[in-house]
Amino acid sequence: MPTIERPSWGQRSALAHWDHRITLPKWARNRWVILHEAAHRLTPGDEAHGPRFVGVLIGLLARHGGYDANELMATAEEAGVKYHVRSIGAVPVLSLPERLQRLLPVQEMEAAFEMDVSWRQVRGASLQLVRAGLAIWKRDRLLPIERQLECGLAL
């Protein structure tokens, strides 16, 4: 991974340098910008924001940003953005309960529509979340349960 350094005096934009350094002003010190600049370093110099760059960025966001690669690819296709599938690489695949947990709070039919599965599959996934103590059904909505740490802080 490239090293992240303070920007030069007066620098207003995030930059990925050819010697594998990334310089970031304060506004750019977040996961999205860091992964964007890392994607620049992982693609050829003439690629800028081309299909290989977008593929690498999708892969980085899926692995390190918590995004779903399939959703990112669908969004790119809807927007007409070209991406190189082979540049994405291996990404984690979320299980049905993990996908459902990201939608909370949600109603059963909304979740079935969003995840493109039947209501029975949603019911089965929700049962796993309820048994794990991560969610609860209240008034036809599946709600997240905030876990309490020993010191009383919510996760």
Side-chain angles (χ1 to χ4, degrees):
M1 191 71 168
T3 60
I4 299 172
E5 299 177 358
R6 287 187 166 170
S8 303
W9 189 83
Q11 178 181 332
R12 303 262 188 261
S13 59
L15 295 174
H17 301 276
W18 294 109
D19 58 356
H20 296 287
R21 290 179 302 120
I22 294 176
T23 54
L24 301 171
K26 281 189 179 182
W27 70 265
R29 294 177 190 165
N30 62 60
R31 184 180 301 196
W32 176 264
V33 176
I34 291 170
L35 292 176
H36 175 98
E37 295 303 328
H40 278 297
R41 294 296 14 105
L42 295 171
T43 54
D46 61 341
E47 190 65 24
H49 292 110
R52 277 194 274 181
F53 168 82
V54 175
V56 168
L57 184 58
I58 289 173
L60 288 173
L61 289 170
R63 281 187 290 283
H64 305 289
Y67 291 88
D68 181 21
N70 291 325
E71 290 177 14
L72 292 172
M73 289 187 291
T75 303
E77 287 173 7
E78 287 173 14
V81 176
K82 294 180 182 177
Y83 59 91
H84 194 269
V85 176
R86 293 182 70 189
S87 296
I88 295 172
V91 294
V93 178
L94 298 177
S95 67
L96 203 54
E98 290 171 326
R99 290 173 52 202
L100 180 59
Q101 190 175 9
R102 287 184 170 195
L103 295 175
L104 296 181
V106 69
Q107 290 183 329
E108 191 172 60
M109 291 308 290
E110 285 177 33
F113 177 77
E114 279 294 318
M115 297 190 308
D116 196 26
V117 297
S118 74
W119 66 269
R120 287 186 172 117
Q121 290 173 297
V122 170
R123 183 71 55 93
S126 70
L127 183 59
Q128 291 181 19
L129 292 176
V130 170
R131 284 182 179 162
L134 300 172
I136 188 169
W137 282 104
K138 281 193 179 175
R139 295 187 181 154
D140 297 330
R141 289 183 67 80
L142 186 63
L143 304 171
I145 295 177
E146 290 186 16
R147 290 199 217 161
Q148 299 291 322
L149 295 175
E150 289 179 18
C151 62
L153 299 173
L155 285 177

